Amino acid sequence: MATDAHRDAAGQSIDEPVYIEGKNHLDEVVDEHDVVLVDFYADWCGPCKMLEPVIDRLAGETEAVMAKVDVDANQQLAAAYGVRGVPTLALFADGEQVEQQTGALPADRLRSLIEGYTE
């Protein structure tokens, strides 16, 4: 379990999800951090709401940065990543997308997926 707070380039703590404001913002987050889990979600999506506390908890417990993309507000960005259903989770390691899963995954499976790239 990570005990030190992660910090972004501006020195802000990232032990909570980063809400992505567009393609350039996502690119910056992916470029600045070794491992980033991106949650493509929608406010109206039941499984997305079930996944939200899991993502929040993993932000503080793992070395990965959790990023959230509202697919309704960022339709072109979601389309660029082939998001056809929500939630869709994309994992980036060293600036490259290495995994993509559709559906709400259990916390232990997400943790294992992240730890495969952070250890």
Side-chain angles (χ1 to χ4, degrees):
M1 185 161 97
T3 55
D4 295 332
H6 303 69
R7 304 246 172 233
D8 68 7
Q12 296 176 318
S13 174
I14 52 171
D15 281 347
E16 58 187 41
V18 176
Y19 286 83
I20 300 299
E21 299 167 4
K23 182 182 183 328
N24 291 339
H25 187 209
L26 179 59
D27 290 344
E28 288 172 13
V29 171
V30 168
D31 289 345
E32 289 174 6
H33 303 284
D34 293 336
V35 179
V36 179
L37 180 69
V38 181
D39 174 18
F40 290 91
Y41 76 98
D43 290 333
W44 46 263
C45 165
C48 298
K49 290 178 182 181
M50 290 179 2
L51 187 60
E52 188 172 7
V54 173
I55 297 293
D56 290 347
R57 191 169 48 254
L58 289 173
E61 294 177 355
T62 68
E63 294 182 29
V65 172
M66 302 296 138
K68 296 187 63 78
V69 176
D70 181 339
V71 297
D72 291 327
N74 296 281
Q75 292 178 11
Q76 289 181 337
L77 181 58
Y81 283 95
V83 174
R84 298 192 189 281
V86 287
T88 293
L89 302 167
L91 186 67
F92 292 82
D94 299 321
E96 299 293 325
Q97 184 176 350
V98 293
E99 302 275 351
Q100 185 159 321
Q101 302 277 332
T102 301
L105 298 177
D108 59 340
R109 181 131 174 248
L110 282 173
R111 182 176 283 106
S112 294
L113 189 66
I114 291 165
E115 288 173 353
Y117 294 95
T118 57
E119 292 182 342

